[in-house]
Amino acid sequence: MNDSGHTSLPVALAPAETAAPAAVEHDYSLTAVPGWWWQPQDVKHLIELYAARPIFDDTAEWLIRDNPYRRPIDRQSIKDFDFSQPLNKSAALGASALAAHRMLLNIYETDLIFLPDKNFEAKRKDFASYYSNDNKLLGEVIRPTLEAHVFDFLKDEINVTGKWSLEAVKSYLQSLIAKHEQSELELCTAILSSADPQRACRALMVQLACDFLTEASASTRNILGKYGDIQSEFFKIVIDDYGYGVHPAKHSTLYENTLATCGLISEAHAYWQFYLSSSLALSNYYHYVSRDHSKYFQAIGAIAVAESMFSHTCHKISQMLHAVFGKTVDTYYFDEHFHIDAHHGRMAFEHVVAPAIERHGNAVIPDIVRGMEELQVLTSLADEDFIAQVSFCDEAEDLKAAGRRIHAQILEGSVEKPATTHVANRSQSLVTRVYDQDQLYVVESGELDLVLGPDQTVRLGRGEAMIVKRERLHGTAVVSDESLYSVYEMGNER
Amino acid sequence: MQVVTFDPQQFNFITAGESSYFLLRLPDGSMVLYDDCCDHRGGPLHLGHWDDTRKCLVCPWHASKYSEKVLRSRAIPLIQHSGRVTAVLDTAPTTQIKLVRKTILAQPR
C-alpha cells in the first residue's frame, strides 16, 4: 500500500497498450539547463542577484566568527566576469574562478546543516536566508553555468581511451600509489623552506579546513538510494569518517583539535576569506561528482584514488607539523588517516570500484579512470596554488621594494601603466580577491593594509608601494580615516 | 601489467617484448594506442593510411579496415592528461619496454 491510499498494483501492472496515448516527444533535458530557458545574459543577471544576497556581502572582519552562513563572494567584481564560457586550465586560478567556486560551495552546502556554536538567535535571520527556497532555487539555476565555467576544462585536459579491464585499472591505481609513496610532498618541502614555516603551516591548515571540517559530507550524497552491497561497503568508509557516531572520534573533531593546537579557530568557514580558489575547487569537485548521480562512477574513482593516496600524504604532513611546531601540536587527525586510509584505499578499490566494474561492466571504467585523473589534476593545481601563495607571502618585503622601484619609474615617466585611483574612508566592509594581472598598489596619503593571510598584513603608508602578483589572494583595508591610493595594472610580465 | 607514462610529442611507438604498439591521434583529437600487428596477416598498421571518406585505418598489406569505433574499443588502455599519456600494457613485469619515435603513416591528416 502506498501513502496515497490507493492500491498501487493496477497502476504498476497496467500493460503498455492500455497506457495513455503516446505523448508528443519533448527533449526535456534541453529545458532544464541554461541555454534554453536561460540565455547566458539572463544567467549572468541571476548570478549577480545571487552574489548580491546580503549573507554573501563583504564582512566587517577578515575572520568570520561563528556564523557559517556569512560567505562573501565579492559582489562588486561579479559584474566584470563572463561566466558563460568554460575557463581553460591556465585561467583556473583566476578572479572569475575564485568567485565561481565561492558561489558553488555556497550552493552545494545548502544541502548540509551548519549551526553556530553559540547565540543562534542573533544569527537566525542569516540561517533562514541561507536555507531559504529563494537562495536554493537561485543557486540551482546558476549552478550548471558555474560548474561548466570551472570544471569543463577537465574534459579537455583528460581523455581515456582503449579497452580497459579491472586488472588494468588495478595496475594503474597501484602505479599511482607507488609513485606517490616514493615522493616527498612538495607542499611540505615548501612549508619547511618558507621564511616563516609556522605561518606557512597554519596557511595549509586553513586551506584544509575548507574540506576537513565537513569531512566526507559530499560523499554522504552517495550512501542513499538502493544499489546493492556496494552501497553498504561505501557506507563503511563514510561511517569511519564520521567516527561511528562517537563525536570525539569524528574526523572533523580530530581536525578541530589540530587547528586548536596550531593556534587556529575551528568554527566552520571562519577562514572563508582566505580559502584559495584551488582549495574551494577540491571541495566543490567532490560535491560536483557526488551530487550529480550520473557522475557516480567518476565519484568512486576519485574517492578510490584519494583514499589510496591520503595515507602517505597524512604521514608526511604529520612529520612536517612536528618539525614546525614541536611536540605540542595534535597530529592525531593525520596519524589516524595514515592508519585508516591504508584500509580505506583498499576498501574503496576492492569493495566499491572492483565490484562496480564486475557488476556493471567495463563500460563504466572510463568514467572511473576519469574521476581518478580529474582529482589528481585538481590536487596538483591546489599544490601549485598553495606553494605560490606561500612564496608570495614570503616575498612581501621584496615586492614592496620592487613596487617602490617601479613606482619611481612611473613617476619619472620611463614606465607607463594604466591606473585607477581610489579615495576611501576607513574600511567597513572587507573581501579578499585575486586579479588576473600583477597589480601595483601605491599609497598617496593615509594608510592601507594589504592582508595576505589571516596572520600576515603589510601596512603601506604615504609613498609606499607593493606589487601583488596575479592570482595571489589578498585583501585591502584602509586603516586611516581616509586614504588616497592608486592601483596600477602591471600586466603579466615576470 | 606494466604502466608507462611518456610525452606523445617525443614518442609515438612502443615495443614490449615481441609486441609493438603505435599512437594514433584520431580526427577528434583523442589518442589511441593500438597493436601494430594487423589481425589478418600481421601487417604493420602504423604504415597503413587513414581513409578520410570511410573514417577508418587501412592496413598497408591487404587493406583490412579498422573503423574509429573498432580502434577505440580494442585499443590499449590509455589516459591523456596534462600533455602526457599513460598506457597500461598487458605484459609481464619483466618484459622490456622501449619507447620510440617513428613516422606514423596511418595518422589522419
Side-chain angles (χ1 to χ4, degrees), chain A residues 33 108 111 140 143-144 147-148 151-152 155 218-222 284-300 367 374:
Chain A
V33 295
Y108 292 135
D111 293 339
E140 269 311 283
R143 180 181 54 80
E147 286 177 336
F151 288 130
D152 265 12
K155 291 177 186 165
S219 288
T220 61
R221 297 177 187 274
N222 283 321
N284 283 335
Y285 180 75
Y286 288 115
H287 286 289
Y288 169 61
V289 292
S290 302
R291 189 178 189 286
D292 173 356
H293 293 309
S294 72
K295 295 187 172 67
Y296 171 74
F297 295 104
Q298 273 169 260
I300 62 173
D367 279 358
E374 288 183 343

mmCIF file of all heavy atoms in Angstrom, chain A residues 33 108 111 140 143-144 147-148 151-152 155 218-222 284-300 367 374:
data_model
loop_
_atom_site.group_PDB
_atom_site.id
_atom_site.type_symbol
_atom_site.label_atom_id
_atom_site.label_comp_id
_atom_site.label_asym_id
_atom_site.label_seq_id
_atom_site.Cartn_x
_atom_site.Cartn_y
_atom_site.Cartn_z
ATOM 1 N N VAL A 33 18.325 23.176 -18.535
ATOM 2 C CA VAL A 33 19.651 23.765 -18.379
ATOM 3 C C VAL A 33 19.701 25.154 -18.994
ATOM 4 O O VAL A 33 18.952 25.456 -19.915
ATOM 5 C CB VAL A 33 20.746 22.887 -19.038
ATOM 6 C CG1 VAL A 33 20.862 21.554 -18.356
ATOM 7 C CG2 VAL A 33 20.469 22.702 -20.521
ATOM 8 N N TYR A 108 26.293 24.271 -2.974
ATOM 9 C CA TYR A 108 26.347 22.857 -2.567
ATOM 10 C C TYR A 108 26.039 22.692 -1.072
ATOM 11 O O TYR A 108 25.367 21.756 -0.661
ATOM 12 C CB TYR A 108 27.734 22.268 -2.830
ATOM 13 C CG TYR A 108 28.119 22.125 -4.283
ATOM 14 C CD1 TYR A 108 29.382 22.502 -4.729
ATOM 15 C CD2 TYR A 108 27.243 21.587 -5.220
ATOM 16 C CE1 TYR A 108 29.766 22.355 -6.053
ATOM 17 C CE2 TYR A 108 27.611 21.444 -6.550
ATOM 18 C CZ TYR A 108 28.874 21.825 -6.961
ATOM 19 O OH TYR A 108 29.247 21.676 -8.273
ATOM 20 N N ASP A 111 22.832 22.021 1.144
ATOM 21 C CA ASP A 111 22.334 20.660 1.417
ATOM 22 C C ASP A 111 22.862 20.122 2.744
ATOM 23 O O ASP A 111 22.481 19.030 3.167
ATOM 24 C CB ASP A 111 22.768 19.702 0.298
ATOM 25 C CG ASP A 111 22.092 20.017 -1.024
ATOM 26 O OD1 ASP A 111 21.040 20.669 -1.004
ATOM 27 O OD2 ASP A 111 22.633 19.611 -2.063
ATOM 28 N N GLU A 140 20.353 26.937 -7.701
ATOM 29 C CA GLU A 140 20.178 25.810 -8.629
ATOM 30 C C GLU A 140 20.182 26.270 -10.081
ATOM 31 O O GLU A 140 20.692 25.573 -10.960
ATOM 32 C CB GLU A 140 18.863 25.079 -8.333
ATOM 33 C CG GLU A 140 19.021 23.961 -7.346
ATOM 34 C CD GLU A 140 20.180 23.045 -7.706
ATOM 35 O OE1 GLU A 140 20.028 22.219 -8.611
ATOM 36 O OE2 GLU A 140 21.248 23.168 -7.095
ATOM 37 N N ARG A 143 23.841 27.171 -10.980
ATOM 38 C CA ARG A 143 24.848 26.123 -10.738
ATOM 39 C C ARG A 143 25.434 25.511 -12.005
ATOM 40 O O ARG A 143 26.667 25.443 -12.147
ATOM 41 C CB ARG A 143 24.260 25.032 -9.833
ATOM 42 C CG ARG A 143 25.208 23.905 -9.509
ATOM 43 C CD ARG A 143 24.557 22.845 -8.633
ATOM 44 N NE ARG A 143 23.321 22.321 -9.189
ATOM 45 C CZ ARG A 143 23.251 21.399 -10.149
ATOM 46 N NH1 ARG A 143 24.347 20.901 -10.667
ATOM 47 N NH2 ARG A 143 22.070 20.982 -10.592
ATOM 48 N N PRO A 144 24.614 25.091 -12.984
ATOM 49 C CA PRO A 144 25.233 24.448 -14.167
ATOM 50 C C PRO A 144 26.192 25.370 -14.917
ATOM 51 O O PRO A 144 27.218 24.919 -15.417
ATOM 52 C CB PRO A 144 24.024 24.083 -15.032
ATOM 53 C CG PRO A 144 22.865 24.025 -14.090
ATOM 54 C CD PRO A 144 23.140 25.066 -13.062
ATOM 55 N N GLU A 147 29.374 25.523 -12.811
ATOM 56 C CA GLU A 147 30.107 24.252 -12.900
ATOM 57 C C GLU A 147 30.837 24.141 -14.227
ATOM 58 O O GLU A 147 32.009 23.739 -14.283
ATOM 59 C CB GLU A 147 29.142 23.069 -12.722
ATOM 60 C CG GLU A 147 28.675 22.888 -11.287
ATOM 61 C CD GLU A 147 27.662 21.755 -11.126
ATOM 62 O OE1 GLU A 147 26.987 21.407 -12.118
ATOM 63 O OE2 GLU A 147 27.524 21.257 -10.008
ATOM 64 N N ALA A 148 30.146 24.495 -15.309
ATOM 65 C CA ALA A 148 30.794 24.428 -16.625
ATOM 66 C C ALA A 148 31.973 25.390 -16.681
ATOM 67 O O ALA A 148 33.021 25.076 -17.245
ATOM 68 C CB ALA A 148 29.782 24.762 -17.717
ATOM 69 N N PHE A 151 34.782 23.667 -14.240
ATOM 70 C CA PHE A 151 35.164 22.247 -14.325
ATOM 71 C C PHE A 151 35.253 21.698 -15.752
ATOM 72 O O PHE A 151 35.813 20.619 -15.959
ATOM 73 C CB PHE A 151 34.191 21.377 -13.511
ATOM 74 C CG PHE A 151 34.359 21.524 -12.022
ATOM 75 C CD1 PHE A 151 33.259 21.763 -11.207
ATOM 76 C CD2 PHE A 151 35.602 21.417 -11.426
ATOM 77 C CE1 PHE A 151 33.405 21.897 -9.823
ATOM 78 C CE2 PHE A 151 35.763 21.549 -10.052
ATOM 79 C CZ PHE A 151 34.655 21.797 -9.249
ATOM 80 N N ASP A 152 34.709 22.422 -16.722
ATOM 81 C CA ASP A 152 34.714 21.863 -18.083
ATOM 82 C C ASP A 152 36.120 21.702 -18.660
ATOM 83 O O ASP A 152 36.324 20.886 -19.555
ATOM 84 C CB ASP A 152 33.863 22.716 -19.027
ATOM 85 C CG ASP A 152 32.438 22.179 -19.147
ATOM 86 O OD1 ASP A 152 32.070 21.308 -18.327
ATOM 87 O OD2 ASP A 152 31.699 22.618 -20.043
ATOM 88 N N LYS A 155 37.490 18.245 -19.029
ATOM 89 C CA LYS A 155 37.119 17.381 -20.163
ATOM 90 C C LYS A 155 38.188 17.429 -21.244
ATOM 91 O O LYS A 155 38.472 16.426 -21.897
ATOM 92 C CB LYS A 155 35.769 17.832 -20.750
ATOM 93 C CG LYS A 155 34.613 17.555 -19.822
ATOM 94 C CD LYS A 155 33.307 18.082 -20.410
ATOM 95 C CE LYS A 155 32.169 17.925 -19.422
ATOM 96 N NZ LYS A 155 30.992 18.710 -19.788
ATOM 97 N N ALA A 218 30.315 15.490 1.253
ATOM 98 C CA ALA A 218 29.952 15.287 -0.158
ATOM 99 C C ALA A 218 29.718 13.806 -0.438
ATOM 100 O O ALA A 218 28.807 13.434 -1.185
ATOM 101 C CB ALA A 218 31.044 15.842 -1.067
ATOM 102 N N SER A 219 30.524 12.958 0.198
ATOM 103 C CA SER A 219 30.387 11.508 -0.047
ATOM 104 C C SER A 219 29.070 10.954 0.472
ATOM 105 O O SER A 219 28.580 9.942 -0.043
ATOM 106 C CB SER A 219 31.536 10.753 0.621
ATOM 107 O OG SER A 219 32.725 10.991 -0.074
ATOM 108 N N THR A 220 28.515 11.613 1.486
ATOM 109 C CA THR A 220 27.246 11.100 2.021
ATOM 110 C C THR A 220 26.150 11.153 0.953
ATOM 111 O O THR A 220 25.142 10.458 1.067
ATOM 112 C CB THR A 220 26.768 11.893 3.251
ATOM 113 O OG1 THR A 220 26.556 13.254 2.870
ATOM 114 C CG2 THR A 220 27.769 11.824 4.384
ATOM 115 N N ARG A 221 26.364 11.952 -0.072
ATOM 116 C CA ARG A 221 25.376 12.019 -1.156
ATOM 117 C C ARG A 221 25.273 10.685 -1.892
ATOM 118 O O ARG A 221 24.309 10.439 -2.598
ATOM 119 C CB ARG A 221 25.771 13.105 -2.158
ATOM 120 C CG ARG A 221 25.790 14.521 -1.585
ATOM 121 C CD ARG A 221 26.275 15.472 -2.656
ATOM 122 N NE ARG A 221 26.488 16.829 -2.205
ATOM 123 C CZ ARG A 221 25.548 17.768 -2.140
ATOM 124 N NH1 ARG A 221 24.325 17.468 -2.456
ATOM 125 N NH2 ARG A 221 25.848 18.988 -1.751
ATOM 126 N N ASN A 222 26.306 9.846 -1.745
ATOM 127 C CA ASN A 222 26.302 8.557 -2.446
ATOM 128 C C ASN A 222 25.941 7.375 -1.559
ATOM 129 O O ASN A 222 26.112 6.224 -1.965
ATOM 130 C CB ASN A 222 27.673 8.314 -3.093
ATOM 131 C CG ASN A 222 27.843 9.125 -4.351
ATOM 132 O OD1 ASN A 222 26.903 9.268 -5.130
ATOM 133 N ND2 ASN A 222 29.021 9.683 -4.543
ATOM 134 N N ASN A 284 34.624 21.531 -3.899
ATOM 135 C CA ASN A 284 33.500 21.572 -4.843
ATOM 136 C C ASN A 284 33.478 20.352 -5.757
ATOM 137 O O ASN A 284 32.412 19.890 -6.149
ATOM 138 C CB ASN A 284 33.559 22.846 -5.684
ATOM 139 C CG ASN A 284 33.084 24.055 -4.912
ATOM 140 O OD1 ASN A 284 32.303 23.923 -3.970
ATOM 141 N ND2 ASN A 284 33.547 25.234 -5.283
ATOM 142 N N TYR A 285 34.668 19.870 -6.107
ATOM 143 C CA TYR A 285 34.706 18.740 -7.046
ATOM 144 C C TYR A 285 33.970 17.527 -6.462
ATOM 145 O O TYR A 285 33.218 16.849 -7.167
ATOM 146 C CB TYR A 285 36.157 18.374 -7.391
ATOM 147 C CG TYR A 285 36.215 17.210 -8.349
ATOM 148 C CD1 TYR A 285 35.913 17.378 -9.700
ATOM 149 C CD2 TYR A 285 36.519 15.921 -7.907
ATOM 150 C CE1 TYR A 285 35.926 16.305 -10.579
ATOM 151 C CE2 TYR A 285 36.531 14.842 -8.776
ATOM 152 C CZ TYR A 285 36.234 15.044 -10.113
ATOM 153 O OH TYR A 285 36.234 13.978 -10.981
ATOM 154 N N TYR A 286 34.224 17.254 -5.175
ATOM 155 C CA TYR A 286 33.538 16.098 -4.564
ATOM 156 C C TYR A 286 32.022 16.267 -4.612
ATOM 157 O O TYR A 286 31.276 15.321 -4.843
ATOM 158 C CB TYR A 286 33.996 15.905 -3.110
ATOM 159 C CG TYR A 286 35.396 15.370 -2.989
ATOM 160 C CD1 TYR A 286 36.409 16.128 -2.428
ATOM 161 C CD2 TYR A 286 35.718 14.090 -3.421
ATOM 162 C CE1 TYR A 286 37.698 15.638 -2.309
ATOM 163 C CE2 TYR A 286 37.004 13.579 -3.311
ATOM 164 C CZ TYR A 286 37.987 14.370 -2.748
ATOM 165 O OH TYR A 286 39.259 13.878 -2.641
ATOM 166 N N HIS A 287 31.571 17.515 -4.397
ATOM 167 C CA HIS A 287 30.129 17.769 -4.492
ATOM 168 C C HIS A 287 29.658 17.630 -5.944
ATOM 169 O O HIS A 287 28.603 17.053 -6.211
ATOM 170 C CB HIS A 287 29.795 19.179 -3.988
ATOM 171 C CG HIS A 287 29.863 19.304 -2.492
ATOM 172 N ND1 HIS A 287 28.934 18.734 -1.659
ATOM 173 C CD2 HIS A 287 30.758 19.931 -1.688
ATOM 174 C CE1 HIS A 287 29.240 19.006 -0.398
ATOM 175 N NE2 HIS A 287 30.350 19.733 -0.391
ATOM 176 N N TYR A 288 30.458 18.172 -6.845
ATOM 177 C CA TYR A 288 30.110 18.173 -8.278
ATOM 178 C C TYR A 288 29.865 16.751 -8.785
ATOM 179 O O TYR A 288 28.876 16.496 -9.481
ATOM 180 C CB TYR A 288 31.264 18.848 -9.011
ATOM 181 C CG TYR A 288 31.282 18.767 -10.515
ATOM 182 C CD1 TYR A 288 30.259 19.304 -11.284
ATOM 183 C CD2 TYR A 288 32.380 18.202 -11.173
ATOM 184 C CE1 TYR A 288 30.319 19.253 -12.675
ATOM 185 C CE2 TYR A 288 32.447 18.156 -12.549
ATOM 186 C CZ TYR A 288 31.412 18.680 -13.300
ATOM 187 O OH TYR A 288 31.477 18.627 -14.673
ATOM 188 N N VAL A 289 30.745 15.822 -8.426
ATOM 189 C CA VAL A 289 30.585 14.447 -8.952
ATOM 190 C C VAL A 289 29.676 13.590 -8.063
ATOM 191 O O VAL A 289 29.232 12.531 -8.500
ATOM 192 C CB VAL A 289 31.947 13.731 -9.160
ATOM 193 C CG1 VAL A 289 32.723 14.388 -10.277
ATOM 194 C CG2 VAL A 289 32.762 13.651 -7.881
ATOM 195 N N SER A 290 29.419 14.035 -6.848
ATOM 196 C CA SER A 290 28.585 13.231 -5.952
ATOM 197 C C SER A 290 27.131 13.695 -5.959
ATOM 198 O O SER A 290 26.222 12.916 -5.661
ATOM 199 C CB SER A 290 29.107 13.307 -4.512
ATOM 200 O OG SER A 290 30.437 12.859 -4.453
ATOM 201 N N ARG A 291 26.945 14.950 -6.304
ATOM 202 C CA ARG A 291 25.580 15.485 -6.290
ATOM 203 C C ARG A 291 24.844 15.068 -7.562
ATOM 204 O O ARG A 291 23.652 14.753 -7.528
ATOM 205 C CB ARG A 291 25.643 17.010 -6.211
ATOM 206 C CG ARG A 291 24.334 17.673 -5.972
ATOM 207 C CD ARG A 291 24.583 19.179 -5.881
ATOM 208 N NE ARG A 291 23.389 19.868 -5.452
ATOM 209 C CZ ARG A 291 22.341 20.068 -6.234
ATOM 210 N NH1 ARG A 291 22.353 19.636 -7.467
ATOM 211 N NH2 ARG A 291 21.292 20.700 -5.771
ATOM 212 N N ASP A 292 25.573 15.079 -8.663
ATOM 213 C CA ASP A 292 25.018 14.648 -9.948
ATOM 214 C C ASP A 292 25.295 13.149 -10.062
ATOM 215 O O ASP A 292 26.410 12.724 -10.354
ATOM 216 C CB ASP A 292 25.713 15.428 -11.069
ATOM 217 C CG ASP A 292 25.330 14.922 -12.446
ATOM 218 O OD1 ASP A 292 24.587 13.919 -12.543
ATOM 219 O OD2 ASP A 292 25.780 15.524 -13.433
ATOM 220 N N HIS A 293 24.249 12.337 -9.835
ATOM 221 C CA HIS A 293 24.494 10.895 -9.744
ATOM 222 C C HIS A 293 24.831 10.252 -11.083
ATOM 223 O O HIS A 293 25.251 9.101 -11.115
ATOM 224 C CB HIS A 293 23.308 10.206 -9.069
ATOM 225 C CG HIS A 293 23.190 10.596 -7.623
ATOM 226 N ND1 HIS A 293 24.252 10.530 -6.741
ATOM 227 C CD2 HIS A 293 22.158 11.105 -6.908
ATOM 228 C CE1 HIS A 293 23.871 10.957 -5.556
ATOM 229 N NE2 HIS A 293 22.608 11.318 -5.629
ATOM 230 N N SER A 294 24.693 11.011 -12.185
ATOM 231 C CA SER A 294 25.185 10.456 -13.459
ATOM 232 C C SER A 294 26.712 10.426 -13.448
ATOM 233 O O SER A 294 27.329 9.805 -14.308
ATOM 234 C CB SER A 294 24.667 11.277 -14.645
ATOM 235 O OG SER A 294 25.305 12.528 -14.700
ATOM 236 N N LYS A 295 27.316 11.092 -12.470
ATOM 237 C CA LYS A 295 28.779 11.078 -12.335
ATOM 238 C C LYS A 295 29.214 10.127 -11.215
ATOM 239 O O LYS A 295 30.317 10.254 -10.668
ATOM 240 C CB LYS A 295 29.290 12.492 -12.060
ATOM 241 C CG LYS A 295 29.068 13.458 -13.219
ATOM 242 C CD LYS A 295 29.746 14.801 -12.963
ATOM 243 C CE LYS A 295 29.684 15.692 -14.191
ATOM 244 N NZ LYS A 295 28.327 16.135 -14.532
ATOM 245 N N TYR A 296 28.348 9.193 -10.862
ATOM 246 C CA TYR A 296 28.652 8.285 -9.750
ATOM 247 C C TYR A 296 29.983 7.553 -9.946
ATOM 248 O O TYR A 296 30.795 7.426 -9.028
ATOM 249 C CB TYR A 296 27.518 7.265 -9.569
ATOM 250 C CG TYR A 296 27.860 6.175 -8.576
ATOM 251 C CD1 TYR A 296 27.874 6.452 -7.212
ATOM 252 C CD2 TYR A 296 28.204 4.894 -8.992
ATOM 253 C CE1 TYR A 296 28.211 5.475 -6.298
ATOM 254 C CE2 TYR A 296 28.542 3.906 -8.083
ATOM 255 C CZ TYR A 296 28.542 4.203 -6.741
ATOM 256 O OH TYR A 296 28.887 3.235 -5.823
ATOM 257 N N PHE A 297 30.224 7.075 -11.164
ATOM 258 C CA PHE A 297 31.442 6.281 -11.377
ATOM 259 C C PHE A 297 32.694 7.170 -11.318
ATOM 260 O O PHE A 297 33.748 6.724 -10.874
ATOM 261 C CB PHE A 297 31.333 5.486 -12.684
ATOM 262 C CG PHE A 297 30.235 4.453 -12.619
ATOM 263 C CD1 PHE A 297 29.023 4.647 -13.266
ATOM 264 C CD2 PHE A 297 30.394 3.306 -11.854
ATOM 265 C CE1 PHE A 297 28.003 3.715 -13.166
ATOM 266 C CE2 PHE A 297 29.371 2.368 -11.742
ATOM 267 C CZ PHE A 297 28.173 2.569 -12.400
ATOM 268 N N GLN A 298 32.559 8.420 -11.760
ATOM 269 C CA GLN A 298 33.656 9.373 -11.564
ATOM 270 C C GLN A 298 33.912 9.556 -10.067
ATOM 271 O O GLN A 298 35.054 9.619 -9.623
ATOM 272 C CB GLN A 298 33.298 10.730 -12.158
ATOM 273 C CG GLN A 298 33.652 10.864 -13.624
ATOM 274 C CD GLN A 298 33.031 12.127 -14.204
ATOM 275 O OE1 GLN A 298 31.999 12.065 -14.849
ATOM 276 N NE2 GLN A 298 33.640 13.256 -13.981
ATOM 277 N N ALA A 299 32.826 9.678 -9.317
ATOM 278 C CA ALA A 299 32.948 9.912 -7.874
ATOM 279 C C ALA A 299 33.696 8.771 -7.194
ATOM 280 O O ALA A 299 34.612 9.007 -6.392
ATOM 281 C CB ALA A 299 31.567 10.088 -7.246
ATOM 282 N N ILE A 300 33.363 7.531 -7.531
ATOM 283 C CA ILE A 300 34.039 6.434 -6.823
ATOM 284 C C ILE A 300 35.497 6.304 -7.296
ATOM 285 O O ILE A 300 36.367 5.900 -6.519
ATOM 286 C CB ILE A 300 33.279 5.084 -6.922
ATOM 287 C CG1 ILE A 300 33.146 4.585 -8.361
ATOM 288 C CG2 ILE A 300 31.927 5.186 -6.236
ATOM 289 C CD1 ILE A 300 32.540 3.169 -8.452
ATOM 290 N N ASP A 367 34.775 6.258 -16.996
ATOM 291 C CA ASP A 367 34.310 7.248 -16.011
ATOM 292 C C ASP A 367 35.105 7.132 -14.703
ATOM 293 O O ASP A 367 35.460 8.138 -14.086
ATOM 294 C CB ASP A 367 32.820 7.048 -15.704
ATOM 295 C CG ASP A 367 31.927 7.678 -16.765
ATOM 296 O OD1 ASP A 367 32.466 8.295 -17.701
ATOM 297 O OD2 ASP A 367 30.701 7.530 -16.658
ATOM 298 N N GLU A 374 40.872 13.324 -12.801
ATOM 299 C CA GLU A 374 40.403 14.688 -12.531
ATOM 300 C C GLU A 374 40.808 15.125 -11.131
ATOM 301 O O GLU A 374 41.252 16.252 -10.929
ATOM 302 C CB GLU A 374 38.882 14.779 -12.717
ATOM 303 C CG GLU A 374 38.484 14.713 -14.186
ATOM 304 C CD GLU A 374 36.989 14.869 -14.445
ATOM 305 O OE1 GLU A 374 36.194 14.716 -13.500
ATOM 306 O OE2 GLU A 374 36.627 15.121 -15.602
#
